[in-house]
Amino acid sequence: MAVPYRLKKAFLNLLLTISSVYFYTIRFVFWFVNYFFRERVYVTPPTDRLLLISATQAVRMISKKEISSTALVESYIHRIEQVNNTINAAVVKLFDSARQQATEVDTFMALADEEDIQKKLEERPLYGVPFTMKDALEVENEIITCGIFNRKATKCDRTAEAIKRLKAAGGILLAVTNVPEVCMWVESVNTIYGRSKNPYDARRMTGGSSGGEGALLGAAGSVVGVGSDIGGSIRMPAFFNGVFGLKPTPGVIPLIGHVPEPTGYKTHMLRIGPMCRFAEDLPLMLRIMAGENARSLNLHEPVNGKKLRVFYMEGITGSPIIQPLEDEMRFALKKAVNFLERKYDIVAQRIELPSAKHVMEYFTLSMHEDTTDPAFNKLMLCTNGTKGEVNCYTELFKYFTGNSIHTLSGIIAGIIDSRDPPFSANHTKDLLYKRDRLKRQVKELLGNDGILLFPSWPCTAMFHNEPILAPFNFCYTALWNVLSVPVVQCPLGLDSYGLPLGVQVIGNQYTDRNLIAIAQVLEEGFNGWTPAGPL
């Protein structure tokens, strides 16, 4: 006998009520313990003026001989040494080679005339500027671990294509930053380098998997960086650490040299992209990493904001496994919407995507679709899955006795993950239909001139270990990986606890320039990156 609709609805409402009580109880308990028993530590704002200019400005000033590459590199080396004890973000420091490259830049600049300099900048648009990257992109002769303990002494024999292009453009790789185990958790912690901490409050998470990168940028220890994103791994750290992060259109930036490299539908979900403190650096970094593919994005074409159609959603509703949207996040979203309405004299339209509440099922299905990747418990030993597998039940016991080389989040992921189909054939067919229908719905809604504003997360940065009790909040970012669309994360100032607020701006494929234009406008309206400070 079919269950009456009213009974179903009443049961769902009961679940949602119980779930809300659960999430708010978790938030209160962690807040109480941390605020009454642990002191807030934050990174003090930078005073060196060279740390307060964008990469775009830095290139211009180097070309005019107003600053030297050496001075810029030394400023960032000093800043990293100053803040890293607090945030534990930079895990591989390439200071000696960076100094050598900066000296070579300065030697050229001292001898070159204006024509030679202009030609050099056309060939190398990042000439003399340092950058950093997450520990998941190969660099020849350097140790890149992806947070995997067994890779802690393994040197790479090639360089990821995106990093190769940044180096060819004159960028100077300064440091490699921390990630979670196998780059698959919302906190950047592993048993090689330990836990990264938020520069706004060291008691809190940096996000993952580009969490070290986000923290270093937020602490002004870097000006531009490179992350990657399969479920929010650029946008979550960018949000929690108060900077910009772009997940670009699929296929624009090559994934060659990413650790691990994806297969199947994951190639539509995983993106390498730029993270930066200043919005004007987004197109610079995107053009360089995209290479010839940048032409398809028409980044040089101006964007007329008055002709954009603006939509917004107040988060994911109707799912008991995802934390409800907190008030400060809702207010931040509405402030961004209102700002765009006033600036462009437009009316934004609020929308709902009811099927978005199934995002966790879509994500799970998409991560398994057509993939030949090894199971997670094999990736925990090596990225090609050829060195056996971890017995995660044994590791769970070893973890609680302090003898495991794996993290709790990694062990749990290894227990849950399997290469077996996650759903029955009929349910898989139904989910594929719903997912692809939602993709078409979003594509048709946005067209070439539409943007969608969406909360960055249900709440601001959680305390360390708190996400284990709220593991599905990442659905706020993962939804857009599933739908394979470009997204930019934009900072919107700080909340009442001194933590970064933000908003995601979503567009259709190949409309990245619209997103970058809105990021720049929101930076004007909300002051962009805001250094940490006292409450």
Side-chain angles (χ1 to χ4, degrees):
M1 185 176 68
V3 179
Y5 171 74
R6 287 185 179 179
L7 187 58
K8 280 185 179 179
K9 188 173 181 181
F11 181 68
L12 176 59
N13 288 337
L14 177 62
L15 274 182
L16 292 173
T17 302
I18 294 171
S19 134
S20 295
V21 172
Y22 167 77
F23 285 119
Y24 285 121
T25 301
I26 289 170
R27 295 289 281 160
F28 175 76
V29 169
F30 274 84
W31 173 85
F32 183 86
V33 170
N34 281 276
Y35 270 81
F36 284 97
F37 298 100
R38 299 178 64 198
E39 185 179 354
R40 175 180 180 245
V41 177
Y42 63 90
V43 169
T44 55
T47 55
D48 186 338
R49 68 182 184 88
L50 293 183
L51 302 177
L52 299 173
I53 60 174
S54 68
T56 304
Q57 290 173 301
V59 170
R60 191 181 307 124
M61 293 174 75
I62 290 171
S63 70
K64 292 180 179 179
K65 303 182 182 181
E66 295 174 0
I67 64 171
S68 67
S69 175
T70 295
L72 186 64
V73 166
E74 289 295 344
S75 288
Y76 276 104
I77 289 174
H78 176 72
R79 182 62 174 176
I80 291 172
E81 298 287 26
Q82 183 183 43
V83 304
N84 207 49
N85 284 340
T86 301
I87 61 174
N88 189 33
V91 293
V92 178
K93 299 171 183 176
L94 305 173
F95 296 165
D96 290 341
S97 63
R99 286 182 170 117
Q100 183 180 345
Q101 292 171 66
T103 300
E104 292 171 2
V105 170
D106 293 339
T107 300
F108 171 83
M109 294 301 299
L111 300 175
D113 57 25
E114 286 190 18
E115 185 177 342
D116 290 335
I117 292 172
Q118 189 58 39
K119 184 178 179 182
K120 178 69 75 172
L121 290 181
E122 289 173 3
E123 297 171 351
R124 311 188 78 181
L126 201 61
Y127 195 51
V129 175
F131 72 96
T132 51
M133 52 159 263
K134 74 183 289 186
D135 185 15
L137 297 161
E138 292 184 298
V139 178
E140 189 174 6
N141 293 323
E142 299 297 340
I143 294 172
I144 300 297
T145 70
C146 191
I148 300 170
F149 186 85
N150 283 6
R151 285 182 62 98
K152 67 178 182 177
T154 304
K155 290 191 174 182
C156 301
D157 57 7
R158 64 173 180 172
T159 298
E161 185 61 32
I163 303 304
K164 197 181 295 183
R165 291 176 180 182
L166 287 169
K167 286 186 165 189
I172 297 172
L173 181 57
L174 190 59
V176 178
T177 52
N178 206 23
V179 297
E181 187 173 13
V182 198
C183 285
M184 284 297 286
W185 184 233
V186 297
E187 275 217 73
S188 290
V189 55
N190 58 65
T191 55
I192 308 168
Y193 302 120
R195 186 187 302 275
S196 292
K197 300 174 184 178
N198 194 301
Y200 293 83
D201 185 342
R203 298 170 296 185
R204 295 181 183 263
M205 61 192 280
T206 63
S209 58
S210 311
E213 193 61 37
L216 195 63
L217 284 160
S222 179
V223 62
V224 287
V226 185
S228 60
D229 189 317
I230 197 170
S233 295
I234 286 175
R235 290 160 291 144
M236 284 187 286
F239 165 54
F240 296 137
N241 298 282
V243 299
F244 294 91
L246 175 66
K247 179 180 83 73
T249 290
V252 169
I253 298 175
L255 300 175
I256 300 166
H258 189 277
V259 182
E261 284 194 29
T263 61
Y265 191 81
K266 284 195 278 191
T267 58
H268 298 277
M269 298 169 66
L270 178 65
R271 302 270 62 84
I272 293 171
M275 300 172 69
C276 49
R277 278 186 287 137
F278 304 99
E280 72 171 332
D281 292 334
L282 289 171
L284 171 66
M285 293 287 284
L286 182 56
R287 273 196 298 270
I288 293 169
M289 289 193 287
E292 292 296 317
N293 291 336
R295 294 179 182 177
S296 63
L297 301 178
N298 301 312
L299 294 175
H300 292 291
E301 290 186 16
V303 174
N304 186 344
K306 291 182 179 292
K307 292 185 177 181
L308 289 177
R309 295 176 300 118
V310 178
F311 304 92
Y312 70 98
M313 276 178 69
E314 294 188 16
I316 299 171
T317 57
S319 174
I321 66 172
I322 303 172
Q323 179 183 337
L325 186 66
E326 291 193 350
D327 287 343
E328 289 208 75
M329 294 300 298
R330 180 176 282 105
F331 295 153
L333 169 71
K334 290 184 175 179
K335 283 173 67 176
V337 170
N338 292 339
F339 173 78
L340 294 177
E341 286 182 323
R342 291 195 303 271
K343 181 171 181 65
Y344 293 128
D345 192 25
I346 58 174
V347 177
Q349 181 180 344
R350 179 181 173 181
I351 66 164
E352 292 284 349
L353 297 173
S355 63
K357 66 185 177 184
H358 302 297
V359 56
M360 193 59 216
E361 290 179 287
Y362 300 153
F363 182 79
T364 303
L365 176 68
S366 300
M367 289 288 283
H368 284 77
E369 187 180 353
D370 298 327
T371 187
T372 57
D373 291 354
F376 192 89
N377 64 345
K378 292 185 177 181
L379 291 175
M380 291 166 75
L381 290 179
C382 71
T383 53
N384 58 17
T386 58
K387 294 185 178 180
E389 61 184 43
V390 174
N391 184 325
C392 289
Y393 294 99
T394 301
E395 287 300 320
L396 188 61
F397 174 78
K398 290 167 68 176
Y399 175 84
F400 287 113
T401 58
N403 295 310
S404 179
I405 61 170
H406 302 287
T407 59
L408 180 59
S409 57
I411 293 167
I412 293 172
I415 291 172
I416 294 172
D417 183 56
S418 168
R419 290 302 92 187
D420 296 329
F423 306 107
S424 68
N426 286 339
H427 193 38
T428 295
K429 185 177 179 181
D430 181 55
L431 286 174
L432 283 172
Y433 171 75
K434 288 180 179 178
R435 183 198 70 186
D436 293 343
R437 183 178 63 179
L438 183 58
K439 286 178 70 171
R440 290 194 302 271
Q441 185 180 357
V442 170
K443 181 178 181 180
E444 291 167 8
L445 173 74
L446 297 180
N448 292 322
D449 59 353
I451 59 167
L452 171 64
L453 274 67
F454 191 84
S456 303
W457 235 52
C459 60
T460 50
M462 287 179 156
F463 292 102
H464 295 305
N465 296 313
E466 188 179 356
I468 291 175
L469 299 177
F472 303 115
N473 283 359
F474 83 102
C475 288
Y476 268 63
T477 51
L479 174 62
W480 312 110
N481 297 85
V482 168
L483 301 184
S484 197
V485 290
V487 189
V488 65
Q489 161 62 40
C490 306
L492 296 177
L494 307 180
D495 73 356
S496 56
Y497 293 108
L499 300 172
L501 293 164
V503 69
Q504 296 182 84
V505 185
I506 297 105
N508 257 337
Q509 291 187 8
Y510 300 102
T511 64
D512 304 55
R513 67 190 180 96
N514 293 345
L515 308 186
I516 292 171
I518 294 299
Q520 292 171 338
V521 166
L522 290 175
E523 183 179 43
E524 294 172 11
F526 294 88
N527 299 318
W529 168 71
T530 304
L535 296 179

